[in-house]
Amino acid sequence: MKDLENFLQAVQDKVGQAKFSERLKEIDNFFINGTPYSSRAPKDPLFFYIAVCTAIARNKGRSYIPIEYARIYPMLFNLNNRWDVTKKIKNFDERFNNLCSQKPSQSVDSILFEILVAIYYAEEGFEVEFIPATDKKSPDLKIYKDGHTKYIECKKMQRAHHMYMH
């Protein structure tokens, strides 16, 4: 799982090794027991993604869903390969904490998309800051470069609803 090593290590550091293993095992057990599992609203969204993307390497073939893998893996792979850039992004930890929680305040896809957009701007030489979440609607990012400040609202197209059964 070297291809996701930085990301997986960061998640493990955030939630703790025991909790990481426990959350991953819960997802695998759904598949082992043949329980219908909705990829649209999984009980633990991030660990559903981790389970699907690491299933083959962990010899957990029943947790592997090719169509989900094809959609999720490129996001995690890109994030993994640019992980060092996240250190430059102000308020990144708040967003990452939300991503790692069992019940994030928004979809995991949306959070990953916001993080990848932030990384892109940081790689382009912008200073990037996640705007802390509030009850009011606000942009996701504040970027500045050469004395100019811009606000970014990230919008990702929603995917179709799918139900997978094994």
Side-chain angles (χ1 to χ4, degrees):
M1 292 186 288
K2 285 252 184 239
D3 51 345
L4 300 177
E5 184 176 41
N6 298 324
F7 176 71
L8 294 175
Q9 187 62 56
V11 173
Q12 186 171 310
D13 291 347
K14 182 62 66 183
V15 303
Q17 184 176 354
K19 205 64 161 155
F20 184 95
S21 297
E22 179 185 313
R23 287 171 71 180
L24 196 54
K25 186 176 181 179
E26 279 184 37
I27 302 298
D28 288 335
N29 286 341
F30 274 102
F31 291 113
I32 289 168
N33 296 329
T35 306
Y37 201 88
S38 169
S39 64
R40 183 83 158 144
K43 179 181 174 191
D44 191 344
L46 177 61
F47 278 80
F48 171 78
Y49 284 17
I50 291 171
V52 168
C53 290
T54 63
I56 301 301
R58 293 180 305 113
N59 200 25
K60 301 286 185 182
R62 293 199 63 149
S63 297
Y64 179 69
I65 304 170
I67 195 165
E68 286 296 302
Y69 177 87
R71 185 183 68 76
I72 299 164
Y73 181 79
M75 289 187 292
L76 297 187
F77 182 76
N78 273 317
L79 181 54
N80 181 77
N81 288 344
R82 292 168 170 80
W83 191 255
D84 59 324
V85 179
T86 64
K87 292 173 182 67
K88 300 177 187 177
I89 301 170
K90 190 174 178 188
N91 297 329
F92 173 78
D93 281 343
E94 178 187 319
R95 208 53 116 241
F96 189 60
N97 288 342
N98 189 24
L99 177 68
C100 292
S101 72
Q102 282 187 289
K103 300 222 182 290
S105 64
Q106 64 194 93
S107 80
V108 170
D109 283 353
S110 294
I111 298 169
L112 289 170
F113 182 68
E114 289 172 5
I115 291 171
L116 289 169
V117 169
I119 288 171
Y120 168 79
Y121 280 109
E123 288 176 332
E124 292 297 312
F126 288 86
E127 289 187 51
V128 180
E129 175 181 344
F130 277 107
I131 296 173
T134 65
D135 292 341
K136 296 180 181 178
K137 184 77 175 138
S138 67
D140 300 304
L141 300 169
K142 177 181 175 181
I143 63 171
Y144 31 99
K145 183 178 179 181
D146 302 328
H148 299 284
T149 300
K150 302 220 184 266
Y151 293 88
I152 309 292
E153 173 69 28
C154 300
K155 289 292 176 204
K156 186 192 126 338
M157 290 178 58
Q158 295 299 314
R159 61 193 173 106
H161 179 69
H162 295 285
M163 177 71 90
Y164 295 98
M165 294 180 67
H166 286 268

